[in-house]
Amino acid sequence: MKAADVRHILDTIGDLFPDAHCELNHSNAFELTIAVLLSAQCTDATVNKVTEDLFQKYKAPIDYISVPLEELEGDIRRIGLYRNKAKHIQSLCSILIEQYGGEVPEAHDLLVTLPGVGRKTANVVVSNAFGVPAIAVDTHVERVAKRLALAGWKDSVLEVEKKLMKAVPRDEWTLTHHRLIFFGRYHCKAQNPKCQVCPLLDVCREGKKRMKTAVVRKAKDHTPKS
């Protein structure tokens, strides 16, 4: 894709969502790490409801490993896969205490070695907590990137990330990440995207296909029956 087309996409999404930001509530890098870990296969809204009480009860890594696993499971029971996540949290907290003085490491290659922390989580943490430019590819970012031909339909998550990093100026990576999420979450939804009012319909292969299908369906509906 030409640089001018990428610029058009970024600016248009930026106009739609100029104030896009991380919607997971947190006050430090440790809380953000826990929140992102909990957000896997779960909405940010649900995570925020759970962490409202969780972060009042557990202030530091030592707090999470000072309670029985069953108690922590109960505290995050509303979160999907809560049993595995509770185990990951306690293991992660033990490592932070033993190896990093109770602090979340800033280096991406260290973050991804922590239990429950994958590449996406590490990207979110380094960019939002430590100001390191990064593009975290979640389901929204992946969907939008593929629909707008910023990545190929069959590209893996890592391939999508690499293509976005190449196409987007580095100093815009973090902001673009947030804007793509907002665009995918509130506009270019998985089901019923707002194609009919989308300012990027002219460059969206998915949108053109959907609108064409809608026109054909409408024409069939208005065809007189014999």
Side-chain angles (χ1 to χ4, degrees), residues 14 16 25 51 60 73 79 81 98 116 129-130 191 198 209 212:
L16 285 173
N25 296 332
T51 57
E73 288 178 350
I79 299 287
L81 306 174
E98 295 168 3
F130 303 122
Q191 302 296 327
C198 184
K209 177 182 176 182
K212 183 177 181 180

Side-chain angles (χ1 to χ4, degrees), residues 1 9 143-153 203-205:
M1 179 177 288
I9 291 173
R143 179 174 67 256
V144 171
K146 290 182 176 180
R147 285 179 174 177
L148 294 175
L150 292 168
W153 288 120
V203 295
C204 181
R205 50 188 176 180

Side-chain angles (χ1 to χ4, degrees), residues 62-116:
I62 189 65
D63 299 325
Y64 284 94
I65 63 173
S66 297
V67 299
L69 178 62
E70 293 75 16
E71 183 174 342
L72 178 56
E73 288 178 350
D75 291 331
I76 64 171
R77 189 175 296 273
R78 285 181 289 173
I79 299 287
L81 306 174
Y82 70 92
R83 287 193 175 88
N84 281 336
K85 290 176 181 178
K87 292 178 182 178
H88 285 322
I89 288 172
Q90 288 198 334
S91 297
L92 179 150
C93 288
S94 294
I95 293 174
L96 292 184
I97 293 170
E98 295 168 3
Q99 300 183 23
Y100 302 106
E103 300 293 330
V104 174
E106 295 186 23
H108 189 282
D109 59 344
L110 295 178
L111 280 167
V112 294
T113 66
L114 298 173

Side-chain angles (χ1 to χ4, degrees), residues 127-128 132-135 170-179:
S127 61
N128 289 280
V132 179
I135 297 178
R170 189 174 188 275
D171 61 350
E172 296 181 42
W173 285 356
T174 300
L175 182 57
T176 296
H177 155 72
H178 291 311
R179 287 177 173 173

Side-chain angles (χ1 to χ4, degrees), residues 154-173:
K154 296 182 179 181
D155 284 349
S156 66
V157 171
L158 181 57
E159 288 171 330
V160 172
E161 180 186 335
K162 289 181 177 179
K163 287 185 177 180
L164 287 173
M165 289 169 65
K166 184 177 180 180
V168 179
R170 189 174 188 275
D171 61 350
E172 296 181 42
W173 285 356

